[in-house]
Amino acid sequence: MSDRLPPLTALRAFDAAARHMSFAKAAAELSVTPAALSFQIKSLEEHLGRPLFRRLNRAVELTEEGHALAPGAQEGFEVLTAAWRAARRLQDNTTLTVTAGPALTAKWLAPRLYDFARAHPEIDLRISTSLRLVDLARDGVDVAIRFGQGLDAGLYSISARKEWMIPVMTPELASRYPTPESLREAPLIFDESISFLDPPIDWPTWFRAVGMDFAPKRGAHFSNADHAIDAAVAGVGVVLGRRPMIIKDVIEGRLVMPFKTAVETDARFRFVCLAGSETQPKIAAFRDWFLAEIAKTAHISDGLTIVHVKDIPPT
């Protein structure tokens, strides 16, 4: 039997029909008539020497050969489409698509984007907020800002500065709860967006870091870090805030860090793009701006005692 591939048009018609299990819907997707689509599938079946569909009264179903071909055909077109998009992106030097988590976008990225736009008016910046781990080769995204302890295998990746957490609150609350011991009576806020960290960094961890055996559970619980920080700004309570999420509010005085012990994690924010694409002017410009913006606020760590979570005695 020959391994000569059939025409791409015929394979495309089969892929659409197999996904929809309808010649009419497949024809509509490809903007051809049902008769033209049926002709392409018929030519593919002749090329194979076996039918790929059973034609029923008002439906179709795949034959054994059709079931064997369908997954590979779908995957092949997905890979081909991704490669085509990647090639087209190389031609586009003006549009930059960046994905980042909603919390980082709200508390760190969005408030700073004016400076990038002013410095690079030639770049049309598009921000996509999502917690989904996008496929940079297939999803039409140039840069991802990721957070966690994972590795970016096969990708260009630069880690940001140390990631630490520290109690923050309004100046008014700080005057009422001036010591770590006084936090036993304070309204506490729980940021559950980092519950995946291992070892965990939570209120019991921070209290152990300052020599206290206290494991609070009651208080306001939030699944999004930016919501937890906003609640602290509103005076709801004291939150264990992550460095990038609290920087702007601390610098501008809405929140304060009355205690000097912070807990560090191995997790980092990372600038990630496809290997090789970091040399593209638009991506290099955003990377350099991103790292420079982080460096501008490095002084927030001055005077802190930063204890790595792995150095804190367990319960």
Side-chain angles (χ1 to χ4, degrees), residues 66-296:
H67 277 295
L69 179 60
Q74 182 174 350
E75 181 180 0
F77 280 108
E78 288 175 351
V79 171
L80 184 60
T81 299
W84 179 250
R85 287 173 179 169
R88 290 185 62 186
R89 287 207 306 273
L90 292 176
Q91 306 295 319
D92 184 358
N93 293 318
T94 61
T95 302
L96 179 68
T97 302
V98 178
T99 183
L104 183 72
T105 300
K107 304 304 292 184
W108 191 91
L109 189 57
R112 292 169 167 79
L113 286 180
Y114 173 77
D115 290 337
F116 179 82
R118 185 174 56 180
H120 299 280
E122 76 283 3
I123 297 177
D124 180 15
L125 184 62
R126 301 179 182 181
I127 303 296
S128 173
T129 58
S130 175
L131 293 176
R132 183 174 66 91
L133 191 65
V134 302
D135 186 330
L136 293 172
R138 298 188 178 192
D139 292 341
V141 173
D142 299 297
V143 171
I145 307 300
R146 294 177 175 172
F147 175 75
Q149 297 161 298
L151 300 176
D152 304 301
L155 300 172
Y156 175 87
S157 178
I158 296 181
S159 293
R161 292 177 178 269
K162 290 180 178 180
E163 182 73 10
W164 47 257
M165 301 182 67
I166 196 168
V168 291
M169 62 194 85
T170 62
E172 190 274 333
L173 280 181
S175 67
R176 292 166 53 189
Y177 304 103
T179 66
E181 291 75 17
S182 67
L183 291 184
R184 290 177 180 272
E185 308 301 325
L188 299 182
I189 296 172
F190 296 79
D191 173 11
E192 297 180 343
S193 68
I194 55 169
S195 59
F196 65 91
L197 292 179
D198 184 24
I201 296 184
D202 50 18
W203 276 115
T205 305
W206 185 83
F207 280 115
R208 291 200 308 276
V210 295
M212 294 175 57
D213 182 15
F214 182 47
K217 296 181 179 179
R218 298 188 62 182
H221 292 250
F222 291 89
S223 60
N224 293 330
D226 54 326
H227 296 169
I229 300 301
D230 288 343
V233 171
V236 172
V238 184
V239 68
L240 201 56
R242 293 156 56 188
R243 180 189 58 80
M245 306 300 179
I246 64 174
I247 283 177
K248 184 174 175 60
D249 290 310
V250 168
I251 289 176
E252 295 178 359
R254 288 181 290 274
L255 295 175
V256 296
M257 303 185 298
F259 316 121
K260 299 307 178 184
T261 299
V263 178
E264 179 190 356
T265 174
D266 286 333
R268 296 285 186 272
F269 277 103
R270 308 180 309 281
F271 176 100
V272 182
C273 63
L274 291 175
S277 68
E278 73 275 8
T279 60
Q280 293 181 37
K282 62 182 182 181
I283 293 179
F286 190 79
R287 175 199 60 202
D288 294 345
W289 171 84
F290 176 74
L291 296 176
E293 283 297 312
I294 293 173
K296 285 180 183 178

Side-chain angles (χ1 to χ4, degrees), residues 30-108:
L30 300 178
S31 299
V32 299
T33 65
L37 183 124
S38 182
F39 174 80
Q40 291 293 340
I41 292 176
K42 187 67 176 176
S43 70
L44 186 63
E45 292 174 324
E46 291 174 354
H47 187 97
L48 179 66
R50 298 286 294 177
L52 295 166
F53 290 96
R54 296 186 185 90
R55 279 76 167 174
L56 308 177
N57 286 336
R58 294 187 178 182
V60 294
E61 64 181 24
L62 290 168
T63 63
E64 184 177 358
E65 290 81 1
H67 277 295
L69 179 60
Q74 182 174 350
E75 181 180 0
F77 280 108
E78 288 175 351
V79 171
L80 184 60
T81 299
W84 179 250
R85 287 173 179 169
R88 290 185 62 186
R89 287 207 306 273
L90 292 176
Q91 306 295 319
D92 184 358
N93 293 318
T94 61
T95 302
L96 179 68
T97 302
V98 178
T99 183
L104 183 72
T105 300
K107 304 304 292 184
W108 191 91

